[in-house]
Amino acid sequence: MKGNRRMPRLWRQCRDERGIALVIALSIMILLLVGGVFLLRMSATEGDIAYNTVSAEGSFFAADAAINVAVDMIAPTVSSCVVASTALGGGYSYQVQHTPPNTTCFAGTQQEAGYSLGSGTGYNPSGYVFYTFAFTGSGTGPRSAQRTIDAQAAYGPIAQ
């Protein structure tokens, strides 16, 4: 019979809700802390992605600048289009190289017989020649960002 008297007393202690508010409050605070840490880390990651994108795009524009410099240099008398690395500011720089390496950027000629510059003018029976150039523009930027653009350009027509 003693066991039966103890059972209601234990049951009453389990039904006592004192302190449950503290447990619930701590649980909610832990959930908010975990959520805040997650959102803070996600925000930092998004910032890194945005910064890397800006660096990569800036490197592409630096490589594009190298191509524009190379195109400005082409002429029938140009034998080399190598330019030392040029700083643009903000950690970006570009360099022009010939394609393939260790050659000149002059890639050859292409003949077009009877090429006309305009309607009814510029006809040459022996044809015209276009000089072809090939080069590579490399752009570098912050955070080791690098972009490369390969280009070919034709100069002409030049009468034969």
Side-chain angles (χ1 to χ4, degrees):
M1 286 287 203
K2 283 187 177 184
N4 285 343
R5 285 184 189 166
R6 278 187 134 185
M7 220 28 158
R9 193 180 321 153
L10 286 173
W11 185 250
R12 261 187 255 127
Q13 285 179 346
C14 290
R15 291 179 62 192
D16 186 12
E17 295 181 2
R18 287 185 297 168
I20 195 72
L22 178 63
V23 171
I24 291 173
L26 287 175
S27 299
I28 290 173
M29 287 176 61
I30 289 171
L31 286 174
L32 290 174
L33 178 66
V34 168
V37 168
F38 173 74
L39 291 174
L40 185 64
R41 183 63 192 136
M42 191 171 72
S43 173
T45 301
E46 291 293 325
D48 289 344
I49 290 170
Y51 191 70
N52 286 340
T53 301
V54 168
S55 297
E57 196 165 326
S59 297
F60 172 77
F61 289 127
D64 187 48
I67 294 298
N68 288 326
V69 167
V71 167
D72 287 344
M73 289 176 27
I74 62 173
T77 58
V78 174
S79 62
S80 177
C81 56
V82 175
V83 176
S85 183
T86 304
L88 296 173
Y92 297 99
S93 64
Y94 69 82
Q95 182 175 10
V96 178
Q97 303 163 337
H98 17 177
T99 306
N102 302 322
T103 62
T104 63
C105 63
F106 180 71
T109 60
Q110 177 183 355
Q111 184 131 6
E112 300 273 338
Y115 183 84
S116 177
L117 290 176
S119 179
T121 62
Y123 183 78
N124 185 345
S126 60
Y128 292 88
V129 171
F130 291 87
Y131 290 97
T132 306
F133 298 86
F135 35 81
T136 300
S138 300
T140 58
R143 292 192 172 199
S144 303
Q146 295 180 341
R147 292 292 183 264
T148 302
I149 300 174
D150 292 327
Q152 289 186 348
Y155 182 88
I158 299 170
Q160 293 296 302

